[in-house]
Amino acid sequence: ETGVTQTPRHLVMGMTNKKSLKCEQHLGHNAMYWYKQSAKKPLELMFVYSLEERVENNSVPSRFSPECPNSSHLFLHLHTLQPEDSALYLCASSQERGPYYEQYFGPGTRLTVT
Amino acid sequence: AQKVTQAQTEISVVEKEDVTLDCVYETRDTTYYLFWYKQPPSGELVFLIRRNSFDEQNEISGRYSWNFQKSTSSFNFTITASQVVDSAVYFCALYMRSGGSNYKLTFGKGTLLTVNP
């Protein structure tokens, strides 16, 4: 596989469920990102990891818990979500953090919270 | 505060027409970077171009061209002779410091372009 892959592509979960989103990049990049894309709203940066260390957390509720076990994998653990958390969750990676490096995005996971 | 405004929510054109997507940004920093991304129906954003604040040269890449005007804080994107495959959501984004040593890519809301045959 090439590029950035995300699984699952679609997920429906109840508010009391616990699930995880997975992202894998095959590009040898050192930085990885989680974004949330809601209908009619701009993409929102959620978390940034650089060399497996979380370097940014943009006021994201604790019901979202990221994990970066190595530079190729990024997870987003979900628990007790709310219906307003339904969105497309996009993972991205870049060679390093910073504006000189374009971000490569995965296809996203379409999450529906019922 | 930094902000990116894409005033056109949706644009519909007929194939072979030229189309311009507008982007206006706000920032107080003198050093910043502007990007355009394309999001086709498959979902993944595709990088199109990066421009830094010190380089006001316009750029052309095939049917795509970009017009960067610092005086009006605009970074507009033109597709010449549009094709059906150009149908997608296009995002303009601003990359700049969000606090301390952190940087953030701030996106506009996007413009949905539909090119009809």
Side-chain angles (χ1 to χ4, degrees):
Chain A
E1 293 217 54
T2 58
V4 181
T5 58
Q6 291 186 244
T7 54
R9 294 293 308 275
H10 300 272
L11 178 62
V12 179
M13 60 185 287
M15 289 191 283
T16 56
N17 290 159
K18 285 185 182 182
K19 296 284 184 186
S20 295
L21 309 185
K22 178 182 174 183
C23 174
E24 185 172 359
Q25 57 97 359
H26 309 269
L27 300 167
H29 289 168
N30 291 322
M32 296 187 77
Y33 312 79
W34 278 117
Y35 286 88
K36 176 183 179 183
Q37 186 177 24
S38 307
K40 308 298 183 186
K41 290 178 69 175
L43 273 82
E44 301 169 73
L45 178 65
M46 299 175 72
F47 301 103
V48 180
Y49 276 82
S50 178
L51 296 170
E52 299 147 48
E53 179 186 345
R54 190 192 311 180
V55 294
E56 281 192 56
N57 174 350
N58 287 284
S59 305
V60 180
S62 59
R63 56 186 184 269
F64 294 91
S65 174
E67 179 191 1
C68 188
N70 56 63
S71 59
S72 298
H73 294 87
L74 186 64
F75 294 90
L76 188 62
H77 304 298
L78 316 170
H79 64 99
T80 58
L81 294 191
Q82 305 297 311
E84 60 265 28
D85 297 322
S86 298
L88 181 68
Y89 288 86
L90 291 162
C91 174
S93 71
S94 61
Q95 185 63 52
E96 306 288 347
R97 280 181 69 210
Y100 313 108
Y101 308 99
E102 58 262 32
Q103 295 181 20
Y104 292 78
F105 285 79
T109 294
R110 174 69 63 188
L111 173 67
T112 304
V113 181
T114 61
Chain B
Q2 46 270 15
K3 197 165 80 168
V4 178
T5 302
Q6 294 180 256
Q8 305 146 309
T9 307
E10 294 186 36
I11 299 177
S12 182
V13 299
V14 177
E15 212 169 13
K16 296 195 176 74
E17 282 185 23
D18 298 347
V19 58
T20 295
L21 310 182
D22 298 333
C23 173
V24 174
Y25 60 93
E26 289 180 35
T27 178
R28 284 175 289 186
D29 273 21
T30 54
T31 302
Y32 53 89
Y33 296 79
L34 294 161
F35 294 76
W36 274 96
Y37 279 86
K38 173 183 179 179
Q39 187 178 36
S42 54
E44 74 275 18
L45 274 77
V46 177
F47 166 81
L48 294 178
I49 190 171
R50 174 184 54 242
R51 173 69 67 217
N52 73 55
S53 52
F54 299 108
D55 182 2
E56 284 195 74
Q57 273 193 324
N58 292 328
E59 178 149 342
I60 298 175
S61 175
R63 294 184 298 108
Y64 296 169
S65 62
W66 290 269
N67 184 359
F68 178 29
Q69 299 272 351
K70 281 181 78 170
S71 58
T72 55
S73 296
S74 66
F75 187 42
N76 297 337
F77 172 33
T78 297
I79 302 176
T80 303
S82 59
Q83 300 176 2
V84 173
V85 293
D86 295 327
S87 297
V89 181
Y90 290 85
F91 292 94
C92 180
L94 171 66
Y95 201 118
M96 57 169 297
R97 192 178 293 115
S98 63
S101 61
N102 292 330
Y103 285 81
K104 190 164 102 169
L105 194 57
T106 300
F107 286 84
K109 291 187 178 181
T111 297
L112 171 62
L113 173 65
T114 303
V115 181
N116 299 298

